[in-house]
Amino acid sequence: YYLTCHRDDTLFVSNKIGLLFQDPYPTTVPELRVVSVDEESQKIHFSWNPSPDADILGYFICHIEEPGAPCMGLDTVWGRENCEYIAENLSATQVQSFRVYAFDSCFTASPLTDNCNNIVLDIDIANCQRTATARWNAYTNMPSGVDKYLLMVRYGSGSYLPVDSVTSSDGLALSFDVPEWATETAFKIAAKNNDGTLTAFSNTVHHNFTFADTAQYVRINHADINENASAVTLYCSVDPLFETARYYIYRKVGNRNYSCIAEIPYSSSGNFKYTDENVTTSSRCYSYRIGVSDACEGEQKYSHETTPLYLKTETLADGNLEFHWNRYRGEGFNGEYHLLRKNEGDSLW
């Protein structure tokens, strides 16, 4: 270094003194904290403890895109106490690994930390069974090690509740039965360290459990017995917007239980008819209903019971005829009966 001074037009130059500045102390590596996913933003937050060195200028973060790949420069955080980084452009639904080193006022770098990564949760939903199976990747290099993973569940706008937990040795999967009353449900994994001081959260998975879709209506419009009383024809209507594999025809005799006598393929028109030819209406009373299973093939929706009319006659001693019939049961019946007659050979009643 030279020191110069001048007076008027005269320049005076001093002797030269050289000084060598060296940093005799290696830069201390910072300690990892956690890689966690923020609940609201679903962004990855990576944090570490400050390097204990007093002259730290900042931290350099590198990112590992896949196992075995080199750690590539991602960003720089300036300031000794600034020990958190938000990965704005990295997806929380993919595994992201990070390492960090500190650098001091001489830009001397510390060793890199071990790598650590976020937890990615995947949920398999069996909607009809109302079962959720959670699977996730292992969290690596958590300080003091991972004690357990907790499956956290939230219903609606309530608080998260731990519903089950496993250790790393138990495997990284859990199944959970969702209550019947629950609809909007959120899931995430919480990894806790052995000291109980750190928690890393996974991404959040949302699912809306709905009651199984079913037909809006199912009915037998009317039921007719043919003229020789050997068959019953049912005229049916079912919600055509509800696509199902089949409709079920049920029949009972007298006061017995219903049994399924036929399965009818889905009709996009919503209207169909079925003729039951295995009847003896002259001596037995038959009742019918049709059923449609919900989308989960669980609960069925049934039509009203329909009992077709069977007319009987009795010749009295004075030669007059007396007519008897059973009570009709059916959709929209107003309770009125009309006795019709036609002569043999006529076409109209």
Side-chain angles (χ1 to χ4, degrees):
Y1 296 90
Y2 295 90
L3 176 65
T4 64
C5 64
H6 66 89
R7 185 183 63 190
D8 298 331
D9 59 349
T10 304
L11 180 65
F12 301 90
V13 180
S14 74
N15 61 309
K16 176 181 177 182
I17 299 176
L19 296 175
L20 176 64
F21 293 89
Q22 290 183 322
D23 186 356
Y25 304 105
T27 305
T28 306
V29 64
E31 294 181 352
L32 294 174
R33 284 181 56 79
V34 290
V35 178
S36 190
V37 178
D38 177 69
E39 170 70 19
E40 183 175 350
S41 68
Q42 289 297 288
K43 299 290 186 181
I44 298 174
H45 287 225
F46 172 35
S47 62
W48 57 92
N49 288 322
S51 172
D53 299 351
D55 63 338
I56 295 298
L57 287 184
Y59 304 91
F60 182 80
I61 300 165
C62 64
H63 171 236
I64 303 172
E65 293 188 358
E66 57 185 26
C71 197
M72 305 300 292
L74 180 63
D75 212 338
T76 301
V77 177
W78 295 92
R80 177 178 177 273
E81 300 297 328
N82 293 331
C83 297
E84 183 174 1
Y85 178 74
I86 301 174
E88 293 284 354
N89 299 318
L90 296 178
S91 171
T93 59
Q94 297 177 346
V95 178
Q96 315 286 354
S97 295
F98 303 91
R99 301 177 76 180
V100 62
Y101 67 73
F103 57 89
D104 62 14
S105 57
C106 292
F107 289 92
T108 302
S110 75
L112 279 166
T113 63
D114 292 328
N115 67 291
C116 54
N117 59 269
N118 61 313
I119 302 171
V120 177
L121 172 64
D122 183 58
I123 297 285
D124 292 330
I125 300 294
N127 199 63
C128 291
Q129 291 75 31
R130 298 186 67 82
T131 298
T133 300
R135 295 182 176 85
W136 63 93
N137 60 292
Y139 188 100
T140 56
N141 296 318
M142 176 174 275
S144 82
V146 175
D147 174 39
K148 59 186 174 182
Y149 297 94
L150 293 91
L151 176 60
M152 312 290 291
V153 178
R154 183 187 69 195
Y155 304 114
S157 59
S159 300
Y160 277 97
L161 299 172
V163 296
D164 207 347
S165 65
V166 293
T167 64
S168 298
S169 60
D170 295 328
L172 303 177
L174 279 171
S175 291
F176 172 65
D177 294 329
V178 178
E180 290 293 332
W181 49 263
T183 53
E184 184 179 344
T185 309
F187 303 88
K188 66 180 179 181
I189 293 295
K192 292 188 173 293
N193 70 343
N194 284 294
D195 292 344
T197 57
L198 295 174
T199 302
F201 292 104
S202 73
N203 58 304
T204 302
V205 177
H206 297 269
H207 184 76
N208 190 21
F209 286 89
T210 58
F211 296 103
D213 291 337
T214 189
Q216 293 297 310
Y217 62 88
V218 49
R219 56 178 173 256
I220 300 175
N221 297 318
H222 65 277
D224 293 338
I225 298 177
N226 66 354
E227 292 191 10
N228 60 11
S230 62
V232 176
T233 299
L234 308 176
Y235 297 85
C236 308
S237 295
V238 180
D239 179 10
L241 299 180
F242 177 71
E243 295 188 23
T244 184
R246 63 193 65 85
Y247 309 123
Y248 299 89
I249 308 294
Y250 294 93
R251 182 185 71 189
K252 73 174 182 178
V253 180
N255 293 322
R256 298 178 185 175
N257 294 328
Y258 273 103
S259 60
C260 182
I261 59 171
E263 296 181 6
I264 308 299
Y266 164 75
S267 170
S268 60
S269 71
N271 300 311
F272 67 93
K273 68 178 182 179
Y274 172 77
T275 299
D276 181 12
E277 298 179 342
N278 186 25
V279 294
T280 310
T281 59
S282 59
S283 59
R284 294 178 176 180
C285 180
Y286 296 90
S287 296
Y288 297 87
R289 68 181 183 183
I290 58 176
V292 180
S293 294
D294 61 27
C296 292
E297 290 290 327
E299 297 292 328
Q300 283 199 7
K301 188 169 190 173
Y302 298 105
S303 68
H304 291 293
E305 181 177 271
T306 296
T307 303
L309 280 172
Y310 178 72
L311 181 65
K312 296 182 181 180
T313 60
E314 180 182 353
T315 304
L316 302 180
D318 58 5
N320 290 323
L321 292 176
E322 187 172 78
F323 296 91
H324 303 270
W325 60 88
N326 59 289
R327 179 186 175 187
Y328 180 85
R329 295 184 179 89
E331 184 88 19
F333 176 55
N334 63 9
E336 294 183 1
Y337 299 94
H338 299 270
L339 183 62
L340 305 179
R341 183 186 68 181
K342 75 171 182 178
N343 295 320
E344 187 174 353
D346 291 346
S347 58
L348 299 176
W349 289 90

